[in-house]
Amino acid sequence: SLDEQGNFTGFASVYGNIDSYGDVVMPGAFTLDLATRGKRRPLLSQHDPKESIGWVELTDSSRGLLATGQLLLDLPKAHDDYI
């Protein structure tokens, strides 16, 4: 879900789901990365490391990788991605 202030919560990845390429992410897939790189990350537009448009906090849950964060809507690119 995404509100008018740019706050959002949703799953970045769901365990056991078969994607369009036939890949399946299994529980524990993010454990090492979250432990070594931390849970809070920059939110990137279209995966572009030069386009940080907010922040995201990642949490490993029994269902998958939960993402909670905020688009910084005062940034033009974040606003464009929001609408």
Side-chain angles (χ1 to χ4, degrees), residues 10-13 15 30 34 38-40 56-68:
F11 283 94
S13 180
Y15 297 136
F30 303 103
L34 292 173
K39 293 182 176 189
R40 191 170 175 123
V56 63
E57 179 133 347
L58 303 170
T59 305
D60 199 3
S61 77
S62 61
R63 183 170 175 212
L65 187 64
L66 182 63
T68 302

Side-chain angles (χ1 to χ4, degrees), residues 3-74:
D3 68 18
E4 290 106 23
Q5 289 78 40
N7 299 302
F8 64 89
T9 299
F11 283 94
S13 180
V14 178
Y15 297 136
N17 186 46
I18 301 172
D19 70 13
S20 60
Y21 297 100
D23 295 328
V24 179
V25 178
M26 301 303 293
F30 303 103
T31 304
L32 179 60
D33 185 67
L34 292 173
T36 57
R37 294 184 53 215
K39 293 182 176 189
R40 191 170 175 123
R41 313 283 175 89
L43 181 63
L44 306 177
S45 177
Q46 304 299 314
H47 302 278
D48 185 348
K50 297 176 187 167
E51 290 284 351
S52 179
I53 57 170
W55 60 269
V56 63
E57 179 133 347
L58 303 170
T59 305
D60 199 3
S61 77
S62 61
R63 183 170 175 212
L65 187 64
L66 182 63
T68 302
Q70 183 175 31
L71 283 166
L72 300 176
L73 296 176
D74 57 328

